[in-house]
Each structure stands twice: as C-alpha cells, then as structure tokens.
Amino acid sequence: EGNIDIPLAPSRTERIKWEVLPVAEGGKECKTFWKVYEDMDKSSSSNEEGATENTPTVAKGITLELHPITGRTHQLRLHCAAIGSGIVGDSLYGDSPIAWLGDHSTKNHDQEIDVISTLGNDISKTLRLHAHKLLIPHPSNPDNGEKLEFESAKPW
C-alpha cells in the first residue's frame, strides 16, 4: 500500500486527455491512496491443478483498491499508468491504448461507429475500473456529518 502524489493537468496536445505535469508548469496537486486488494498470481499459483516447477505461468495481475484523495479527471487511470501499469482495458492511458476516434463535436454524424464490431467481444477491452463503494455527505444537510453509502459488487 502507499500513496501516489503526481500532479496532473489537461493535456496540451489532446483535448480529451490529461497528463502528468509539475505544479511549477501548471499541474494541479493530485493524490491517490492505493493498496493491493487481491493478488491473483499468488492466489492461483498454489491452487493450479497439475502445475509443476517447470510449468510456465501466465501473469494474471492484481486488483487494487484505490482511494482518490483529490478528484481530478482521469486521476486513477493516469496515476496507475504513471507508476508502471495502466488499468486493464484503458484505451487512453493503459498498456495497449487504441487510437482515439475523433472529436464528437465536429464528427460527421452520418458516419456512426459500431463500437462492438470495432473492439470485438474481447473482455480485456472493457475498462476494469469500478466504484465498489461510494461514501458521500448527505445532500439534505451536508454539515451534520451524516453520510450516504452505496456499495456494488464488481461486474466481472
């Protein structure tokens, strides 16, 4: 577990993206707390039937629990990418980004894009970022300390 403290700013070259940028150059303070929730390599290596010392292993990855301390656009996605590995399925900042398909404000609306046929049914194309738990101040009286809590199991 640990903290990621990397300033971010809107990209100077791509309207849809953000980038790492020092505060002295216009970046905004940005902090994320992280901890390993599940290490799928450790939990599966001892359980695989018929596995021997010489059996090649395929990395399955880890599930992180991320707590954004600040709330910048794309913060969790950029912080993961900046420390070494993007979030699975992240087409903007991940390990295998796909080409951005254009600016929708100037797009020719006669040319609709079929995302399913473009990306296929490959599950790794699904952004594996999910808000498991949200805790927010109660909207009727945010100053009294009452909180609303919502939980949702991950869909994969």
Side-chain angles (χ1 to χ4, degrees):
E1 69 182 56
N3 289 297
I4 305 167
D5 187 356
I6 301 173
L8 303 174
S11 172
R12 295 167 285 187
T13 59
E14 297 181 64
R15 186 184 63 81
I16 196 170
K17 294 176 83 172
W18 278 55
E19 63 186 0
V20 173
L21 192 68
V23 173
E25 296 177 32
K28 297 177 182 183
E29 291 290 334
C30 194
K31 298 177 191 229
T32 300
F33 170 79
W34 67 271
K35 72 177 181 177
V36 175
Y37 178 78
E38 178 183 17
D39 186 335
M40 291 168 281
D41 294 321
K42 283 185 181 177
S43 63
S44 67
S45 62
S46 59
N47 299 335
E48 290 192 23
E49 213 173 292
T52 66
E53 279 184 35
N54 299 329
T55 304
T57 58
V58 175
K60 295 181 178 150
I62 59 173
T63 300
L64 290 177
E65 184 174 316
L66 301 168
H67 297 261
I69 307 304
T70 52
R72 307 283 179 224
T73 302
H74 299 182
Q75 173 178 326
L76 301 177
R77 296 165 72 180
L78 264 161
H79 274 175
C80 286
I83 64 168
S85 182
I87 297 171
V88 172
D90 188 344
S91 63
L92 286 178
Y93 308 106
D95 294 335
S96 300
I98 59 173
W100 183 47
L101 299 175
D103 180 351
H104 292 290
S105 65
T106 59
K107 176 182 156 194
N108 179 349
H109 292 284
D110 296 335
Q111 299 174 347
E112 291 299 320
I113 298 169
D114 183 352
V115 174
I116 299 299
S117 6
T118 304
L119 299 178
N121 290 325
D122 184 354
I123 195 67
S124 70
K125 300 282 193 255
T126 301
L127 178 61
R128 296 298 182 100
L129 180 61
H130 175 70
H132 164 70
K133 184 189 242 181
L134 295 174
L135 189 63
I136 59 173
H138 197 289
S140 66
N141 191 357
D143 298 327
N144 74 355
E146 186 180 353
K147 306 263 187 224
L148 292 177
E149 185 173 327
F150 303 92
E151 290 192 39
S152 172
K154 64 183 180 183
W156 51 82

